[in-house]
C-alpha cells in the first residue's frame, strides 16, 4: 500500500531519510542533472521564500517509508499559480498509476490553494524541434499523459525562443486550467512567464531575453494547442469529489458490539448513530473506511502489560457480563495482583467502567479509526473526524476509566508527532487526564484542556491549574478548570486563552478531543452551551488554520448531540477562508528564538549561506562576511569581531557582528546585521540589535556606528536604523561610486 504525504521541511530525521531517497531517484531518473541542483532541494524546503516561491513537496511512500515517487511544486501565492518542478517515479516501479496519483494530488492541492492553474515545462513532441528519436518518444508519452487532464502547451507566444542561437529542443510551457478551464488571460500569462524566467532561471536568462519573451505574448486569451492525443471530451478535468476541502469522517463500525446494557450507562451505541444521521444531511463529509494499523501504535502511548491485560480480561468475561473493579490498591503499582478480576482495580481509575466481552475489540477499532483520520491529515486534508466510541481521553498510560479504554487522541497525536509538533485541545466537559498523563514529560506535544473544576467534576483528582507538565514537559500542559455554571461566553473566554497558548506553541497539527457534554442538559455535565455556541467554538478553532484532527469524546444528551456536532463542524469548516489569511499572521510570531554568543565551526558555512539567501549582498560581500567568521574562529576575541547568533529551534535565522573601533576609547562598529528572509519584518532585527546594545554597554561602550549606502535599495536598511534610535551623523558623497554616498549612523548608549 502506498500513501502520498506532504513533506514540510528537512528538520525531522524521518524527513531527512525521505529526502535522501528522493535525491537518489532524481539521480537515477535524470542523468545529467547537476548535483548542485539536487542539493538545492533541502534549501528550497527550508527557505521557502528565497526564490519568492513556496516549495511544496509530496512523496509517495510505502508504509515502511520507502519512497516510490515524488512531486515537487512551487507555489506563487500573489500571482496565483503553481509551477510543477519535478514529478518522478523510481526506476522499475511496477504498480502503475502512481504518476496519476501524484499528479492528482498536485491538482487537488493547487485547487485547495486557490491557484488559477498549474504550469510546467515539457520537452517538445514535434520531430522538427527534437531530433533525438528516443527522447521524442518520451516527450510524446509525457504530453499525452498530461493531455488526459486537459493540460496542453500554450502556443504562439515565443516561450520556446532559444536563449543562445544554437539552443535546440527548448521546452514548451504547458498549462493545466484545473476544473474551471477558463480562458487564459494575456496579462496573467505575462506575469507567470516573467516570474518563471526571472526567479527560476535567473542565472540562465538575461533581462533582455525575459523582456523579449514577455513581449511576445500578444494573444488574448492566450491559446492552448489543440488536443493531439486524446479526444477533448474524454479529458478528465474534474477534481470535485476528491477535494481535500471535504471533511473526512471515519466511523467505528464495530462500536455497537460494545454495549453495556445497564441502567445509567449513558455511553451507548445510539450516540454514534445520532451524530452520523445529522452529518449525512450536510454534504460536507466524505466517509472513509478505517485502515488497519499494527498494535505498536497503542504501545507507543500505553503500557504493554496494561494493553495485554485489557485483551485477556475482555476475552475472559462471559458474554453479556461486566467485570467491575471491586478493590483499589493504594496506588502501589509495583506489585500487581495475579487474579484478573482483582487486577481490574489495579488498572482502572473508577467503579463505572467495566470490562466487557467486546470492550477490547471495540476500543481497538476506535484506535484504527483515529489513526486513519490522522493519516488523512498527513495526506493533506485540512479536517478529519474520527467518530468513535468508546471514547478515550480518560485513558492514561497505564489506566482505563471514565468509559475510556485506549486514548485515541493521544495515539493519533503520537502518530502525527513524527511529522511535526502537535497540540491537543480537549474541550470535553471532563478533564483530559489521559493525554496529560501520557505527555506529561514531553515538550513536543502540548496538551490543553478546558473542563469542569476537579472539585466538582470527574475525574476529581486531576485537572488543576497547577499541573503544568513535568521535567522537559514543564509548561507544555495547560489546564483551564471552570466553575459549575458556565455559559457559551464564559467558555469562549477560556477557549481564547487556550488558542493563544496553542498559537504560541506553533504546532504543525492540531488534535481536538471533542466532547459535547458541555451542552445544556447533558446528564454528565453542568454547563449550558447552545447550538450557536458550538458553531462559534468551531469557528474560533478553525481560524487558527491548522490541519485539524477531531476525535470524538463525550456528549450524552442524544436529543441535541448530533445537531451540536454538526454546528461545531460548520463553524470549523466555515473558518476556511479566514484560515488562509490567518496562516500568514501566525507565522509572523516568533517563538523558540535563542541567542548564542559563542561562534562555532559550523557557523562559517551557515553564515555564508544566510547572507547569500537574503539576496541583498554581492558575492564579494558574502566572502567578507564568511572571512570575519573565520578570523574570529582563528584568533578568538583578539580578532576584534564579536558575534551574536540567532537560532530558531537550532536553525540559523539571523546574526550580528560588531566590535570595538580600533584606537577609540568606547566606540563600537556594527559590521553586519543579517536576518533570514522568513524572519524579516517580524521584529527579529530589533531584538538582535537590542541584544547587541546590551552587550556593548556591558563592556563599557558608549556609542555604536554603522555605515550604509545611500542607494535607493538601502532605504529600508536606513529606516531600520532610524527606527532603532540611530541618527545620521555624516554623509560621504560619492564614496562607493558616482552618486552613491556612504551614510554613517550613530547611536549613543545611555548608561
Ligand atoms: Zn466527558
Amino acid at each position: 500500500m502506498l500513501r502520498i504525504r506532504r513533506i514540510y521541511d528537512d528538520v525531522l530525521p524521518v524527513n531527512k531519510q525521505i529526502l535522501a531517497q528522493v535525491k537518489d531517484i532524481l539521480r537515477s531518473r535524470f542523468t545529467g542533472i547537476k548535483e548542485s541542483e539536487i542539493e538545492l532541494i533541502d534549501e528550497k524546503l527550508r527557505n521557502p521564500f528565497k526564490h519568492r516561491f513556496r516549495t511544496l513537496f509530496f512523496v509517495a511512500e510505502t508504509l515502511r517509508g520507502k519512497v516510490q515517487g515524488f512531486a515537487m511544486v512551487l507555489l506563487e501565492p500573489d500571482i496565483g499559480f503553481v509551477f510543477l518542478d519535478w514529478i518522478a517515479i523510481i526506476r522499475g516501479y511496477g504498480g502503475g498509476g502512481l504518476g496519476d496519483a501524484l499528479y492528482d494530488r498536485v491538482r487537488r492541492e493547487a485547487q485547495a490553494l486557490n491557484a488559477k492553474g498549474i504550469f510546467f515545462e515539457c520537452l517538445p513532441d514535434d520531430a522538427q524541434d527534437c531530433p533525438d528519436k528516443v527522447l521524442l518518444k518520451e516527450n510524446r508519452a509525457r504530453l499525452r499523459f498530461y493531455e488526459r487532464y486537459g493540460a496542453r502547451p500554450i502556443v504562439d507566444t515565443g516561450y520556446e525562443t532559444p536563449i543562445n542561437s544554437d539552443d535546440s529542443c527548448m521546452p514548451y510551457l504547458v498549462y493545466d486550467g484545473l476544473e474551471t478551464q477558463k480562458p487564459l488571460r494575456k496579462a496573467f500569462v505575462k506575469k507567470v512567464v516573467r516570474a518563471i524566467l526571472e526567479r527560476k532561471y535567473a542565472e540562465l536568462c538575461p533581462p533582455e531575453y525575459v523582456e523579449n519573451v514577455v513581449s511576445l505574448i500578444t494573444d488574448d486569451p492566450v491559446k492552448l494547442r489543440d488536443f493531439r492525443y486524446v479526444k477533448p471530451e474524454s479529458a478528465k478535468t474534474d477534481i470535485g469529489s476528491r477535494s481535500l476541502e471535504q471533511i473526512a469522517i471515519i466511523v467505528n463500525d464495530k462500536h455497537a458490539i460494545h454495549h453495556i446494557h445497564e441502567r445509567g450507562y449513558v455511553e451507548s451505541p445510539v450516540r454514534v448513530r445520532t451524530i452520523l444521521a445529522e452529518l449525512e444531511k450536510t454534504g460536507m463529509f466524505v466517509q472513509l473506511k478505517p485502515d488497519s494499523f499494527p498494535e505498536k501504535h497503542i504501545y507507543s502511548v500505553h503500557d504493554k502489560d496494561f494493553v495485554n491485560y485489557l485483551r485477556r480480561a475482555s476475552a475472559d468475561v462471559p458474554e453479556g457480563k461486566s467485570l467491575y473493579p471491586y478493590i483499589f490498591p493504594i496506588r502501589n503499582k509495583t506489585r500487581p495482583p495475579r487474579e484478573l478480576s482483582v487486577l481490574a482495580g489495579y488498572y482502572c481509575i473508577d467503579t463505572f467502567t467495566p470490562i466487557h466481552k467486546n470492550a477490547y475489540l471495540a476500543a481497538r477499532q476506535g484506535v484504527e479509526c483515529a489513526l486513519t483520520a490522522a493519516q488523512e491529515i498527513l495526506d493533506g486534508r485540512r479536517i478529519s473526524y474520527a467518530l468513535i466510541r468508546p471514547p478515550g481521553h480518560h485513558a492514561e498510560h497505564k489506566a482505563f476509566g471514565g468509559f475510556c479504554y485506549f486514548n485515541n487522541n493521544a495515539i493519533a497525536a503520537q502518530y502525527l508527532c513524527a511529522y511535526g509538533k502537535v497540540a491537543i485541545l480537549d474541550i470535553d466537559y471532563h478533564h483530559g487526564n489521559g493525554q496529560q498523563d501520557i505527555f506529561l514529560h514531553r515538550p513536543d506535544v502540548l496538551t490543553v484542556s478546558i473542563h469542569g473544576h476537579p472539585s466538582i467534576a470527574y475525574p476529581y483528582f486531576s485537572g488543576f491549574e497547577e499541573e503544568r507538565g513535568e521535567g522537559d514537559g514543564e509548561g507544555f500542559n495547560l489546564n483551564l478548570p471552570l466553575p459549575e455554571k458556565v455559559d457559551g461566553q464564559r467558555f469562549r473566554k477560556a477557549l481564547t486563552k487556550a488558542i493563544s497558548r496553542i498559537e504560541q506553541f506553533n504546532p504543525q497539527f492540531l488534535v481536538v478531543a471533542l466532547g459535547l457534554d458541555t451542552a445544556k442538559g447533558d446528564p454528565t455535565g453542568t454547563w449550558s452551551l447552545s447550538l450557536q455556541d458550538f458553531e462559534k467554538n468551531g469557528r474560533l478553532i478553525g481560524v487558527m488554520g491548522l490541519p485539524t484532527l477531531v476525535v470524538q469524546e463525550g456528549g450524552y444528551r442524544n436529543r441535541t448531540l448530533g445537531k451540536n456536532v454538526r454546528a461545531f463542524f460548520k463553524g470549523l469548516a466555515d473558518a476556511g477562508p479566514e484560515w488562509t489569511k490567518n496562516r500568514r499572521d501566525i507565522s509572523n510570531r516568533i517563538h523558540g528564538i535563542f541567542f548564542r554568543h559563542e561562534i562555532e565551526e559550523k557557523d562559517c558555512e551557515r553564515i555564508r549561506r544566510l547572507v547569500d539567501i537574503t539576496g541583498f549582498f554581492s558575492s564579494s560581500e558574502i566572502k567578507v562576511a564568511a572571512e570575519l567568521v573565520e578570523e574570529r574562529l582563528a584568533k578568538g576575541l583578539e580578532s576584534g569581531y564579536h558575534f551574536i547568533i540567532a537560532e530558531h529551534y537550532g536553525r540559523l535565522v539571523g546574526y550580528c557582528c560588531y566590535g570595538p573601533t580600533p584606537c577609540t576609547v568606547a566606540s563600537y562598529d556594527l559590521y553586519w546585521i543579517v536576518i533570514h528572509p522568513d524572519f524579516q519584518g517580524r521584529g527579529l532585527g530589533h531584538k538582535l540589535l537590542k541584544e547587541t546594545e546590551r552587550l556593548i554597554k556591558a563592556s563599557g561602550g558608549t556609542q555604536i556606528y554603522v555605515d550604509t549606502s545611500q542607494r535607493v535599495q538601502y532605504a529600508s536598511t536606513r529606516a531600520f536604523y532610524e527606527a532603532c534610535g540611530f541618527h545620521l551623523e555624516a554623509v560621504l558623497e560619492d564614496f562607493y561610486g558616482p552618486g552613491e554616498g556612504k551614510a554613517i549612523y550613530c547611536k549613543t548608549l545611555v548608561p
Side-chain angles (χ1 to χ4, degrees), residues 432-451:
N433 59 298
Q435 60 269 19
Q436 170 176 311
D437 171 70
I438 287 165
F439 298 113
L440 196 66
H441 296 270
R442 287 179 39 183
D444 58 334
V445 178
L446 173 74
T447 44
V448 180
S449 178
I450 304 170
H451 49 263

Side-chain angles (χ1 to χ4, degrees), residues 561-620:
L561 180 60
K563 290 190 175 68
N564 287 343
V565 171
R566 183 171 122 176
F568 175 81
F569 277 102
K570 184 171 186 307
L572 190 63
D574 280 357
E578 290 170 60
W579 164 68
T580 346
K581 186 176 108 250
N582 201 45
R583 199 70 207 133
R584 205 165 287 176
D585 298 345
I586 288 174
S587 65
N588 279 341
R589 280 166 236 160
I590 322 177
H591 333 278
I593 291 276
F594 294 97
F595 290 140
R596 171 159 64 79
H597 305 119
E598 274 314 308
I599 198 103
E600 294 169 10
E601 207 67 54
K602 64 179 182 193
D603 292 325
C604 190
E605 177 53 22
R606 296 204 309 168
I607 283 180
R608 201 192 56 71
R609 278 225 317 256
L610 175 71
V611 176
D612 185 11
I613 284 165
T614 59
F616 210 69
F617 300 98
S618 68
S619 55
S620 58

Side-chain angles (χ1 to χ4, degrees), residues 181-467:
Q181 303 279 318
K182 281 189 191 140
L184 199 45
R185 305 287 15 156
K186 178 173 82 174
F188 171 63
V189 178
K190 276 179 182 278
K191 281 190 211 159
V192 169
V193 168
R194 181 181 291 283
I196 295 171
L197 296 181
E198 284 184 347
R199 302 186 202 171
K200 201 175 145 41
Y201 297 116
E203 305 88 55
L204 296 174
C205 301
E208 319 80 74
Y209 175 85
V210 178
E211 292 311 325
N212 179 38
V213 171
V214 171
S215 75
L216 290 172
I217 301 164
T218 49
D219 291 343
D220 196 16
V222 174
K223 289 199 283 288
L224 295 186
R225 191 170 82 178
D226 288 338
F227 280 88
R228 183 175 284 187
Y229 301 105
V230 304
K231 290 200 186 78
E233 58 276 16
S234 68
K236 46 164 191 159
T237 57
D238 65 302
I239 298 170
S241 61
R242 290 164 301 173
S243 166
L244 291 168
E245 288 302 289
Q246 264 189 319
I247 300 170
I249 176 169
I250 298 96
V251 184
N252 182 356
D253 54 4
K254 290 212 184 98
H255 75 91
I257 60 174
H258 174 63
H259 195 175
I260 315 286
H261 294 271
E262 279 154 38
R263 258 182 82 112
Y265 200 86
V266 291
E267 203 287 285
S268 64
V270 65
R271 297 175 59 236
V272 165
R273 289 198 294 272
T274 310
I275 295 173
L276 203 53
E278 274 299 322
L279 299 188
E280 274 167 353
K281 298 176 192 164
T282 65
M284 276 159 55
F285 293 81
V286 50
Q287 194 174 333
L288 305 175
K289 281 210 169 329
D291 287 331
S292 54
F293 290 82
E295 202 140 70
K296 69 169 190 204
H297 294 291
I298 300 180
Y299 301 145
S300 70
V301 313
H302 288 297
D303 175 72
K304 213 166 183 169
D305 289 338
F306 160 71
V307 178
N308 288 337
Y309 169 73
L310 272 184
R311 187 193 309 107
R312 276 172 41 221
S314 279
D316 199 56
V317 180
E319 191 78 53
K321 290 269 187 287
S322 296
L323 165 63
Y324 284 93
Y326 62 96
I327 178 161
F328 294 89
I330 299 295
R331 299 275 118 184
N332 171 6
K333 294 221 167 180
T334 54
R335 295 179 61 175
R338 295 176 72 103
E339 185 66 35
L340 285 181
S341 61
V342 186
L343 259 173
Y346 179 77
Y347 285 121
C348 191
I349 59 174
D350 56 46
T351 55
F352 60 85
T353 312
I355 293 176
H356 178 266
K357 186 97 210 151
N358 292 318
Y360 172 82
L361 284 178
R364 178 84 177 71
Q365 176 80 9
V367 167
E368 309 229 299
C369 294
L371 286 169
T372 307
Q375 184 57 53
E376 278 299 302
I377 295 292
L378 290 179
D379 286 349
R381 203 177 282 278
R382 192 166 82 79
I383 306 171
S384 71
Y385 174 36
L387 173 51
I388 50 185
R389 55 172 294 276
H393 72 143
H394 294 306
E396 300 185 349
H397 171 63
K398 208 178 173 174
F400 66 102
F403 309 139
C404 305
Y405 300 89
F406 294 138
N407 196 319
N408 306 300
N409 77 62
I411 294 169
Q414 171 67 21
Y415 184 63
L416 288 172
C417 80
Y419 306 96
K421 291 196 297 177
V422 184
I424 304 176
L425 172 61
D426 190 319
I427 49 172
D428 188 281
Y429 173 79
H430 305 95
H431 175 229
N433 59 298
Q435 60 269 19
Q436 170 176 311
D437 171 70
I438 287 165
F439 298 113
L440 196 66
H441 296 270
R442 287 179 39 183
D444 58 334
V445 178
L446 173 74
T447 44
V448 180
S449 178
I450 304 170
H451 49 263
H453 195 280
S455 63
I456 52 142
Y458 184 87
Y460 302 107
F461 292 98
S462 70
F464 297 96
E465 258 169 336
E466 59 266 31
E467 295 156 17

